[in-house]
Amino acid sequence: MKKFNVTGMSCAACSARVEKAVKNVAGVKSCSVSLLTNSMGVEGSASDDEIIKAVEEAGYGASSAESKSEKKEKNNLNTDDETKKILTRLIWSVILVLVLMYAGMGHSMWGFPLPPFFEGNFLAVAIVQMLISGLVLVINQKFFISGIKGFIHRAPNMDTLVALGSGVSFGWSVWVLLKMTCCTGDAEQLMKLADDLYFESAAMILALITVGKTLEAKSKGKTTNALKALMNLSPETAVVIINGEEKIIAADEVKAGDIFVVKPGSQIPADGVVVEGDSAVNEAALTGESIPADKVEGSRVSAGTMNQSGFLKCRAEKSGNDTMLAQIIQMVSDAAATKAPIAKIADKVSGVFVPSVICIAIITAVVWLVLGQSAGFALARGISVLVISCPCALGLATPVAIMVGSGVGARNGILFKTAESLETAGKTKIVVVDKTGTVTEGKPVVSEIVTADGITEDMLLQLALDVEKKSEHPLSKAIVEAAEGKNLSAAEVKDFLAETGKGVRAVDTEGVVIAGGNISYIRSFVNITEEDGKKILEGAEKAKTPVLFCKNDKFYGVLYIEDKIKDDSAEAINQLKNLGLRIVMLTGDNEKTAQAVAQKAGIEEVIAGVLPDQKEKVIADLKKQGMVLMAGDGINDAPALTAADSGMAMVSGTDVAIDAADVVLMNSSLSDVAAAVKLSRKTVTNIKENLFWAFIYNVIGIPLAAGVFIYLTGWELKPVYGAAAMSISSFCVVTNALRLNFIRFGKQLKPAVNKENKQKEFYMEKTIQIEGMMCEHCEAHVKKALEALAGVETAVPSHKKGTAVVSLKSDVSAEQLTKAVEEAGYKVIGIE
């Protein structure tokens, strides 16, 4: 997918116009425009120039985002500059509107004093009102520039409605002012004409809309906080060993194979492997897991994670845009740039919304004139219709919820690749889980050896090693490790053949066929009695997988391989059941072993003995009964992950599975499947609430503004009140979406494990927001003050981020932490 940045959009009508224009370009298969991030994703063979030209012809600006660096991308998300500009406009607008109101309503309605020259001089007051409101129009000229441009390109937008409402009010008032100049001697007529002035409305409309835009900009900035937080994890520099010396280079200059060092309190600059040292690394930003992971020689480390205690020397494997952190950022960004199916309704309405509102406003004014009302009254009703209508709320309803939802998921180690995947997960009726690596740990070991008569354990292991050495199957690796653990070496074999879902065979140096696999496969080589077969399968009832071996026509014995279920699998299955989901375990393992594992995990329904190429068909059959979610981790799960309505892959699994999945689980935990479903349901509910508000607001607001209820109830909506309502609507939608940040998944902190005595102990982590740290010396003061507290294991302050991450070995209250920091001379803003 090609990504572009789009400028000039102000509402849903704009994004709908851009999307329509780009979809009409030859070679474009699909286009998705995000009003929230001002970005666009395009799939197809059309060139960048053709796409950009189409956007520009529609009246907007566009540029390719493909070449943007992460830093530039971060700046693109930063709404602070935009908010500051809007805030400046708002301040000046409010000051001028207050003066305007004082001179107008303040004097006429409440008797506020005016300079002697203006007392009773209606014409002079009107001229002052015109000048002040004219200044407000100039300050907020952005609405007029964007609105007129949209009108010229036959793509009217929200700014067009605002510009029309304010512009018509101002123009009508100028016309009334000219009429006042013709009757300067008639005080009664001047007073009557003064009542038809709408200079205050013209200025107030712009001021109130700007209030709404300010609130909206601030709230929209908060929706991208999760993505900006991920981007801030990327360290700017790395310490690399070059010619035996430590040198500081830019983090994006680290190359695969470089040796870099990471000191305590520093962030890891690249994905790699530890070659020296040991430490505890905080990976919470990537996985959502608050417990630091122990790293020793051979352990993998990820860019953006924090080294908390020891010194590490690592060999880089991936850097820059290839790191796991960069991929996570890309996934979250892509999810925000795509559209959920639920947004299609709003898109259809947005495309015709503004032209329809303009037509309704004209009809409203004409109808009131026909009914005998004055031109001023009819005009006020038409202006009210223009300014109360809000296409922005429609356009923001879905993307803000998607951005916040995907951000919450990212913080908890759940990565949705698209907006559609975030919506679909919650509609799941059936959850299909793979056994190995999903329900179980995915680390099979040989737990029992049973030999045939006349065969020793070493003879069986040697045969198993010879035939399994060339296989890539997880069970084969467990067998090879067990054999090599007894200092056995594999002999050369030829004609090796692996038969998927059955076993392996080869020809040894003596020219004899050797084989290993399940009982049905080995029976094709040697005779196994029914009684022996029953004994062999007894181990399967204990959740052990039997692998049989034979040489020529001689049966050698069985290796029982056990893969323990994960600690949280039973609880995760229970959580899924509590969500009303049907759980099915799908595995290629034999029925006995599968049932034993399922029983331990609390799964009632098992489909066993399924070959990889058959899993896709099983998923297709289950989809006839409801929407299916598939969770797996292996290459053999890829077809099923693709076939399912929602595919979830464990990050510990294969790249093929991760690529095939719609959702990636960074913790490789089945509990996150339940969390993903819950998050999806909450997000979709939030979107529906936003859409309901956006639609119902306009359904009620437009008739009210048009004056439909005037004869029935006497309700009359003035233009300024319509503008106030419009300014609040978008803010309400964005604020409602931000509630998703308060979702709790019910995960409990896992107890930390002390490496020396392996006993479980208390562990908690808190982040303190601190104001006043300016340099490394400040960090040292804060670190010393916090680590002096009983219960604080480590403290990692950062003056750049204004935070201190505190690891606790016993409970320490927020008051204690605050007191320690403030006694050191700094201010605590908050503690998370």
Side-chain angles (χ1 to χ4, degrees), residues 35-36 212 215-216 219-220 223 390-402 404 686-698 725-740:
L35 178 64
L36 178 65
L215 295 172
E216 183 185 318
S219 298
K220 281 167 68 177
T223 66
C390 188
C392 269
L394 282 173
L396 291 170
T398 301
V400 291
I402 292 295
V404 177
N686 192 277
I687 291 172
K688 289 178 179 178
E689 291 169 353
N690 287 344
L691 287 173
F692 174 79
W693 164 255
F695 279 115
I696 204 70
Y697 163 82
N698 285 293
M726 181 185 185
S727 70
I728 293 171
S729 60
S730 295
F731 173 68
C732 290
V733 165
V734 178
T735 304
N736 184 53
L738 289 173
R739 292 192 305 112
L740 290 171

Side-chain angles (χ1 to χ4, degrees), residues 289-539:
E289 179 56 69
S290 59
I291 308 300
D294 290 334
K295 300 295 180 183
V296 295
E297 189 174 333
S299 298
R300 294 194 171 275
V301 293
S302 300
T305 55
M306 177 73 73
N307 181 23
Q308 287 197 329
S309 52
F311 176 88
L312 293 176
K313 185 181 288 187
C314 311
R315 182 179 64 253
E317 291 187 341
K318 295 178 181 178
S319 63
N321 292 330
D322 296 324
T323 63
M324 178 63 72
L325 175 62
Q327 290 174 27
I328 291 173
I329 292 170
Q330 189 62 46
M331 284 185 197
V332 177
S333 179
D334 287 348
T338 57
K339 283 192 176 179
I342 197 171
K344 290 178 181 177
I345 302 171
D347 287 346
K348 288 179 181 178
V349 174
S350 299
V352 296
F353 185 85
V354 175
S356 300
V357 168
I358 293 173
C359 291
I360 292 171
I362 294 171
I363 292 170
T364 297
V366 170
V367 167
W368 282 113
L369 286 171
V370 171
L371 291 174
Q373 291 290 344
S374 67
F377 181 89
L379 200 64
R381 302 286 70 74
I383 292 169
S384 294
V385 169
L386 289 173
V387 297
I388 199 172
S389 308
C390 188
C392 269
L394 282 173
L396 291 170
T398 301
V400 291
I402 292 295
M403 175 60 90
V404 177
S406 58
V408 170
R411 286 202 304 271
N412 288 276
I414 304 166
L415 304 180
F416 295 92
K417 291 185 178 179
T418 63
E420 184 174 358
S421 65
L422 178 54
E423 179 184 339
T424 304
K427 298 177 181 177
T428 299
K429 299 297 181 186
I430 304 169
V431 175
V432 179
V433 294
D434 174 47
K435 179 179 76 70
T436 305
T438 305
V439 176
T440 65
E441 292 179 350
K443 299 174 182 176
V445 293
V446 176
S447 61
E448 188 179 348
I449 302 174
V450 178
T451 61
D453 293 339
I455 304 297
T456 65
E457 286 191 4
D458 281 355
M459 290 171 64
L460 174 57
L461 285 171
Q462 182 64 59
L463 174 65
L465 176 61
D466 293 345
V467 73
E468 298 282 2
K469 182 68 174 178
K470 292 184 177 181
S471 174
E472 292 295 321
H473 196 281
L475 298 185
S476 299
K477 292 179 180 178
I479 292 167
V480 170
E481 286 178 6
E484 291 180 343
K486 290 203 170 187
N487 297 319
L488 299 176
S489 300
E492 283 297 322
V493 296
K494 58 182 181 179
D495 299 334
F496 174 82
L497 175 66
E499 298 191 45
T500 306
K502 298 178 181 179
V504 293
R505 58 175 290 177
V507 177
D508 66 10
T509 53
E510 299 172 2
V512 176
V513 174
I514 55 176
N518 60 35
I519 191 167
S520 60
Y521 182 65
I522 297 302
R523 272 182 169 152
S524 65
F525 295 93
V526 296
N527 180 41
I528 298 176
T529 65
E530 188 174 335
E531 185 178 345
D532 287 339
K534 288 181 180 178
K535 289 180 180 178
I536 290 168
L537 292 176
E538 282 178 4

Side-chain angles (χ1 to χ4, degrees), residues 2-71:
K2 295 180 180 179
K3 294 183 72 176
F4 298 83
N5 296 313
V6 183
T7 58
M9 296 190 298
S10 61
C11 68
C14 297
S15 58
R17 172 70 178 175
V18 172
E19 200 166 292
K20 183 178 179 181
V22 174
K23 282 181 177 178
N24 288 333
V25 175
V28 171
K29 292 181 179 179
S30 66
C31 173
S32 176
V33 180
S34 172
L35 178 64
L36 178 65
T37 57
N38 292 317
S39 61
M40 174 176 67
V42 181
E43 288 185 351
S45 57
S47 68
D48 289 5
D49 291 340
E50 290 175 315
I51 293 168
I52 291 171
K53 183 181 178 183
V55 175
E56 289 175 345
E57 287 179 351
Y60 306 90
S63 61
S64 175
E66 295 296 325
S67 59
K68 280 198 166 213
S69 67
E70 187 181 285
K71 192 170 184 180

